[in-house]
Amino acid sequence: MRILQECNVIAWLAKKLRFLFRIITPNLKDQEALECISTNIAANMLGLGFAATPSGLKGMKRLQELNENKEEASDEMITFLVLNTAGVTLFPTTMIAIRQALGSTNPLDFLVISMISSIGSTILGLIMERLMRKKRTCSTT
């Protein structure tokens, strides 16, 4: 983690993700929230869940501060939760470490399938979130 931080890998990836998150949540203009969310997602993508937690909590707190209705989660909060739950993980470090510790001859042999399923679950989660958002919006009007 320290090496990735010192080499600015997480910051670089977070910057790239900010652009993507602006597309996913076009109404979110707050730079602090975008920075926290993208840092959280970048750390999760690299399999560094322990490092993602502080920025994720800070991002959700900032989204709540921006939320007009404090009793309900905003669309941006729900989208962030879906992204965090489905979580694209490109390099699942914990699983690799467990497989290596248990004597796997090739602890990385599942990596491609893991990436495909991770990306697929994230896309499906975002699609379902949009469908539920539209359904909720239609039922309240």
Side-chain angles (χ1 to χ4, degrees):
M1 175 61 186
R2 287 188 186 123
I3 293 170
L4 291 173
Q5 283 178 328
E6 288 177 20
C7 295
N8 291 323
V9 172
I10 294 175
W12 175 83
L13 186 56
K15 188 175 182 180
K16 300 298 179 194
L17 288 171
R18 255 179 263 152
F19 171 75
L20 180 63
F21 205 72
R22 283 188 190 124
I23 293 170
I24 295 170
T25 58
N27 296 331
L28 182 59
K29 305 294 185 207
D30 187 80
Q31 291 304 311
E32 181 184 344
L34 283 168
E35 185 175 324
C36 291
I37 290 167
S38 8
T39 301
N40 170 268
I41 294 169
N44 276 328
M45 287 177 82
L46 297 172
L48 304 170
F50 62 90
T53 301
S55 59
L57 292 172
K58 189 175 178 184
M60 193 60 83
K61 181 179 178 185
R62 181 67 184 147
L63 290 175
Q64 178 62 6
E65 290 169 2
L66 298 169
N67 190 4
E68 293 176 10
N69 182 355
K70 303 296 184 196
E71 299 299 317
E72 291 182 16
S74 67
D75 290 340
E76 290 77 15
M77 292 170 80
I78 294 169
T79 301
F80 179 41
L81 183 63
V82 167
L83 282 172
N84 219 337
T85 304
V88 172
T89 304
L90 300 178
F91 198 70
T93 54
T94 303
M95 182 60 72
I96 293 167
I98 291 170
R99 289 174 53 91
Q100 189 172 20
L102 293 174
S104 174
T105 56
N106 187 359
L108 299 174
D109 65 355
F110 73 102
L111 203 54
V112 173
I113 294 297
S114 173
M115 286 181 191
I116 292 169
S117 63
S118 178
I119 292 168
S121 67
T122 300
I123 291 170
L124 183 60
L126 288 172
I127 290 170
M128 292 304 298
E129 186 268 333
R130 288 298 152 110
L131 291 173
M132 296 305 289
R133 183 188 302 188
K134 285 181 183 180
K135 183 177 178 181
R136 188 180 74 233
T137 305
C138 289
S139 67
T140 58
T141 55

